[in-house]
Amino acid sequence: MKTPYWLVAACLAASLPVHASPSFKPVEIKDQELATLRGRYLMPGRIISFGVVMTSTWQNARGDMIGATTSMQIQQSTTRPQFYVSMINRSGNGSSSSQGSGSVLGGSGLNNTQGVTQVVRAAGDYNSAYNNVDINIREGSVAPDMNVAQGSVPLPNGSTIYGANGAGTLSISSTGGGVQLGIRASNNQGNSMQRLAQGGLMQTSTLLGGSNAVNNFTQLNVVLRDNLPTAGALDCNLDQLKGLRTVGY
């Protein structure tokens, strides 16, 4: 085989000026071609822990807050994934807000999106709304402890947990292998929803009143097993580089 010669030829071709040949002109890649590309992959057994933490909260002008945090962690020893729910229920002492009178039109196609979808639609004043996704990947030799927040309750598949206070009503449901957190604010202030299911993440907030603070947050935590190169793998790489010596490199 003439692998070293082909390697040198490829290196020389990559170093040519852009104007050396018409073939080096940029060409737009079609969506169909991009769809066939794949990124980096992980060997089986490399992932030793995968966790999801989702939090949704709604705070009104008075300071009342309603929300929940749901979490799930999968390890090699996990036989069946289980979501746990911790409720957030706080009372404020400010003045009550007036009835929301805003109007938002459209948005029916949002339920047909794929991947990560983040939407904020506001028809009021002095509101704040955040949709955040955090992916935390680190290496380690052991999986972290499966810590469940105090007061958390399990969320069996197909079930729904409800909550309510002055800020609005909350529902947390687990269906179809996913989880959804929905909040409908009191006094027609609006609503929010956060859903993780079928390989997609949806975060959406609609504000119809004023002085509301809405947060949707999802964190994905992945722990990869330490994958240090072995002596055999290093020797193999060095042997491949030795082939360049015969051509003066």
Side-chain angles (χ1 to χ4, degrees):
M1 296 180 63
K2 298 181 180 181
T3 302
Y5 297 95
W6 283 109
L7 180 60
V8 173
C11 294
L12 291 175
S15 64
L16 290 175
V18 175
H19 56 76
S21 172
S23 61
F24 287 93
K25 292 182 179 180
V27 178
E28 183 178 359
I29 300 178
K30 298 180 181 180
D31 292 341
Q32 294 83 352
E33 297 176 356
L34 288 174
T36 63
L37 300 180
R38 296 293 183 269
R40 298 182 63 181
Y41 62 90
L42 297 174
M43 296 300 292
R46 182 81 192 279
I47 299 178
I48 61 177
S49 176
F50 174 79
V52 179
V53 179
M54 299 176 63
T55 300
S56 292
T57 60
W58 189 296
Q59 180 174 307
N60 61 16
R62 186 176 183 274
D64 300 326
M65 176 182 290
I66 191 168
T69 296
T70 178
S71 60
M72 180 269 292
Q73 185 176 352
I74 301 175
Q75 300 180 2
Q76 289 181 332
S77 58
T78 303
T79 57
R80 178 177 297 179
Q82 177 66 67
F83 279 98
Y84 291 88
V85 176
S86 175
M87 306 293 289
I88 300 173
N89 191 325
R90 302 173 187 171
S91 298
N93 54 11
S95 58
S96 301
S97 59
S98 59
Q99 189 82 1
S101 58
S103 177
V104 175
L105 303 178
S108 59
L110 294 175
N111 292 326
N112 300 324
T113 60
Q114 297 179 349
V116 177
T117 303
Q118 296 175 314
V119 181
V120 174
R121 301 187 295 172
D125 299 321
Y126 310 110
N127 293 298
S128 65
Y130 296 95
N131 293 320
N132 300 314
V133 179
D134 184 26
I135 301 177
N136 180 24
I137 301 176
R138 64 182 180 89
E139 291 187 344
S141 56
V142 295
D145 295 334
M146 299 183 65
N147 296 323
V148 179
Q150 186 176 4
S152 298
V153 296
L155 179 64
N157 187 39
S159 64
T160 302
I161 297 177
Y162 298 94
N165 66 2
T169 59
L170 166 74
S171 63
I172 311 103
S173 58
S174 175
T175 58
V179 63
Q180 175 175 307
L181 289 79
I183 299 176
R184 181 169 294 277
S186 301
N187 295 329
N188 195 41
Q189 293 297 304
N191 58 80
S192 71
M193 187 270 289
Q194 188 172 199
R195 180 177 64 231
L196 179 65
Q198 299 177 352
L201 174 63
M202 165 73 79
Q203 295 176 325
T204 177
S205 301
T206 301
L207 300 104
L208 305 178
S211 301
N212 297 285
V214 187
N215 283 278
N216 289 318
F217 175 70
T218 293
Q219 184 179 46
L220 306 179
N221 300 308
V222 182
V223 179
L224 304 179
R225 189 183 308 278
D226 292 331
N227 191 24
L228 299 177
T230 62
L234 292 176
D235 291 339
C236 179
N237 293 334
L238 291 174
D239 291 339
Q240 293 178 353
L241 294 176
K242 289 178 182 178
L244 296 176
R245 294 180 179 177
T246 60
V247 290
Y249 290 91

